[in-house]
Amino acid sequence: MSTEEAAGLTTVDRYYLAWAEHQAQRTEEPSSSTAEATELSRYLADEKGVRGRGGKPVSASNLRRYLLPFRIYHLWAEQRVRSQTPSLEDIAQECAAQGITAQHNRPVTTAYIADQVDDFERRWQALTRHPAQTQQ
């Protein structure tokens, strides 16, 4: 069993770690979620050696569905450092302040965030046990 498996990291958690690292290295935002997913696919393949089926880069369309939850998780995790129960209202307001929107440019709602909290907490626990990751 690898260290990652022992820590409970999922494939999506590894995508998140790569996404967060790539975000930190970027100097400008991509023009669209499609462009961002394409960049992440390249980054995963070229820098992390993470590939999809048949050894091809993970498809951008597969990665695109994770981008919104990754952005929201990042905000949630910033609050989780300070509180065991981050304020969903504060996170929704921060999403609005940063221009993070749901599908069709709708605001991110507290209900949407609440639906993600169990996975966010699971990811938080897995990443805090992962030796290569520190929460910000």
Side-chain angles (χ1 to χ4, degrees):
M1 181 182 294
S2 74
T3 303
E4 288 179 353
E5 290 168 337
L9 289 180
T10 66
T11 299
V12 177
D13 293 338
R14 289 189 294 278
Y15 293 164
Y16 170 77
L17 289 171
W19 174 85
E21 187 175 289
H22 188 240
Q23 288 288 101
Q25 295 174 2
R26 272 223 258 322
T27 57
E28 61 186 53
E29 285 294 312
S31 58
S32 69
S33 63
T34 300
E36 182 176 9
T38 300
E39 284 181 24
L40 180 57
S41 175
R42 255 187 251 121
Y43 187 79
L44 282 163
D46 297 346
E47 300 297 323
K48 299 297 179 184
V50 175
R51 296 183 174 274
R53 293 189 179 148
K56 296 179 182 177
V58 178
S59 76
S61 60
N62 182 29
L63 294 171
R64 191 172 40 244
R65 68 181 155 161
Y66 301 118
L67 298 177
L68 177 61
F70 287 174
R71 289 181 182 284
I72 297 169
Y73 172 79
H74 189 76
L75 297 174
W76 181 91
E78 287 175 346
Q79 284 201 20
R80 180 62 174 81
V81 169
R82 297 182 296 277
S83 169
Q84 287 205 306
T85 53
S87 165
L88 304 186
E89 184 62 39
D90 288 352
I91 295 166
Q93 288 175 3
E94 187 61 28
C95 285
Q98 291 188 23
I100 299 170
T101 60
Q103 192 172 18
H104 306 297
N105 290 321
R106 292 188 177 130
V108 173
T109 64
T110 56
Y112 177 84
I113 300 167
D115 287 345
Q116 306 294 315
V117 167
D118 288 344
D119 191 50
F120 287 178
E121 184 63 30
R122 184 215 48 80
R123 179 171 294 136
W124 171 266
Q125 295 299 326
L127 295 182
T128 56
R129 290 190 303 267
H130 186 280
Q133 173 67 18
T134 57
Q135 295 294 329
Q136 299 171 2

